[in-house]
Amino acid sequence: MRPVEEHLAECLAAVEPLPPLDLALLDAVDCVLAEDVVAEVDLPPFDNSAMDGYAVVMPDVAAATGHHPITLPVIADLPAGSSEELRLPQGAAARIMTGAPVPVGCGAVVPVEWTDGGLARVEIRQAPVPGQFLRRAGEDLRAGDLVLSAGSRLTPRHVSALAAVGRERVAVHPRPRVVVLSTGNELVGPGRPLRFGQVYDANGYGLTAAADELGCIAHHVGVVPDDPRLLMSALEDQLMRADLLVTSGGVSAGAYDSVKEVLARLGTVRFTSVAMAPGMPQGFGTIGPDATPVFCLPGNPVSAMVSFEVFVRPVIRTMWGEARLQRPFVQATVMEGWESPNGRRQYVRGALDVDGGGRHTVRPLGGQGSHLVTDLADATCLVVVPEDVTRVCPGDTLPCMLLDRARR
């Protein structure tokens, strides 16, 4: 059997980031930057007011108090967007709105709440400190500063920052197009009646949802029967729309395993046994004129979903140009022991918690059979047991892969 790291390394070596596309900002949300973005202007681009109030010269208002207010003539009204280049003389004030350029000579802005709100003359009842309520040009960024680094996944916050420095378009690695096929005569789509010997297609829906949660453009083809000709036709139909193909089922040594029969003859696909539980039978390679990568995952639902986390997710993130390939891990103390198969890395469905001292603890959920999909639904982590450990004991500390959606 091949070690997990060896199989993963082979998968990663076969892919590279998708070629960049130049997209409008709103079309680039959730894509990964393929370029460093540098500010071409200062941000803010000019000194401006942080408050609605009055621009003043500091010596004029330094002694203002509620008991001894200072009254100044208002010589200008400056709204946001004003292009007037005003010089403020000593002994005068200018009414100013938030975001408006401050006049030359302005030493601070007095909020309207500290005044009587006058239009022709204003009574100032509290003195600001020098520079108070002024936003200085370049206070956020200077022209030439790095705004965002290549490899950043664009969130709405990033889009706001890019728009603020004037970027209308950016080069990004596009969202990978992932096509999922389920194989097996025994499979039926949810919503249809089951006949004896049939099961619902959990894999197709689970794997498609996993790719979608990751941010891919995910497409579920549906169920393909155990017929080599039908499988070949389905694969050929989907190659044009896929950056990555994922099949499930038909990868073991069964007599009707059409996936293995068909794909073993195509491209570079090879089938192997990986030293892991669940998910030992694995297939991976590339097919078609564009060397499209294809994962052939086992048919048991838990095996398929664990295989996605261990192998498919890192490949997708590589294609997307991201640096962090795996979900986050934490070290947790085991609360209940269990047996682990010798020579295979075990991925145990677990429930993670934090004790009163801030220490992570974990307990296994239910049985660990690869068909027990409801325990996986309740899991918040996968507890990773090393290959040389055959007995996990309470008090042991093990790495746990976080499955929380917010930590993708």
Side-chain angles (χ1 to χ4, degrees), residues 67-334:
H67 295 295
H68 300 286
I70 291 174
T71 300
L72 296 172
V74 178
I75 64 169
D77 205 14
L78 303 174
S82 171
S83 58
E84 181 179 358
E85 296 186 17
L86 176 70
R87 178 173 290 276
L88 185 64
Q90 196 163 347
R95 195 163 78 109
I96 193 167
M97 301 298 111
T98 302
V102 297
V104 177
C106 169
V109 170
V110 179
V112 67
E113 294 83 359
W114 297 0
T115 75
D116 65 351
L119 300 180
R121 300 180 66 80
V122 61
E123 184 179 272
I124 295 171
R125 299 163 179 166
Q126 182 176 334
V129 298
Q132 193 168 12
F133 304 119
L134 295 181
R135 300 167 176 161
R136 295 300 186 186
E139 184 179 292
D140 193 352
L141 284 172
R142 290 288 184 186
D145 285 350
L146 180 68
V147 182
L148 289 174
S149 300
S152 302
R153 189 194 284 243
L154 296 183
T155 67
R157 300 185 304 280
H158 294 132
V159 168
S160 177
L162 292 169
V165 297
R167 287 298 294 262
E168 181 185 15
R169 307 180 69 85
V170 285
V172 297
H173 299 292
R175 295 194 291 160
R177 301 168 300 163
V178 177
V179 173
V180 177
L181 302 88
S182 301
T183 66
N185 293 332
E186 76 281 12
L187 298 179
V188 175
R192 297 175 56 190
L194 285 179
R195 295 198 303 270
F196 181 75
Q198 293 182 324
V199 295
Y200 286 120
D201 175 26
N203 288 352
Y205 283 82
L207 294 170
T208 305
D212 181 76
E213 180 196 73
L214 194 49
C216 302
I217 300 171
H219 175 68
H220 179 213
V221 173
V223 176
V224 180
D226 284 318
D227 183 317
R229 290 175 302 172
L230 294 177
L231 177 59
M232 180 70 79
S233 176
L235 290 171
E236 290 174 347
D237 287 345
Q238 298 305 319
L239 276 175
M240 291 297 294
R241 73 189 307 172
D243 297 311
L244 176 69
L245 286 164
V246 180
T247 74
S248 66
V251 297
S252 60
Y256 300 99
D257 288 342
S258 58
V259 170
K260 199 168 184 179
E261 178 183 344
V262 170
L263 287 175
R265 305 194 305 262
L266 296 178
T268 66
V269 178
R270 117 169 140 139
F271 294 85
T272 188
S273 293
V274 177
M276 62 187 291
M280 183 176 68
Q282 297 286 334
F284 177 78
T286 59
I287 62 173
D290 297 322
T292 302
V294 56
F295 277 97
C296 304
L297 306 183
N300 280 318
V302 179
S303 298
M305 296 302 289
V306 169
S307 298
F308 183 95
E309 294 297 338
V310 176
F311 302 119
V312 184
R313 174 181 289 268
V315 163
I316 288 174
R317 293 179 74 94
T318 297
M319 297 173 71
W320 216 335
E322 297 198 83
R324 181 172 62 82
L325 303 185
Q326 299 276 9
R327 286 187 187 267
F329 282 77
V330 297
Q331 296 291 320
T333 300
V334 173

Side-chain angles (χ1 to χ4, degrees), residues 333-338 391-397:
T333 300
V334 173
M335 304 303 290
E336 301 173 18
W338 66 87
R391 174 67 189 170
V392 176
C393 299
D396 289 348
T397 299

Side-chain angles (χ1 to χ4, degrees), residues 1-8 274-280 306 310-311 326 329 338-348 382-390 398-399 401:
M1 288 191 291
R2 304 180 73 195
V4 171
E5 286 81 3
E6 184 179 310
H7 185 65
L8 177 58
V274 177
M276 62 187 291
M280 183 176 68
V306 169
V310 176
F311 302 119
Q326 299 276 9
F329 282 77
W338 66 87
E339 302 294 328
S340 188
N342 185 35
R344 295 168 67 185
R345 182 175 303 177
Q346 189 183 30
Y347 293 87
V348 173
L382 293 176
V383 189
V384 184
V385 184
E387 291 84 343
D388 59 351
V389 174
T390 58
L398 290 173
M401 178 191 294

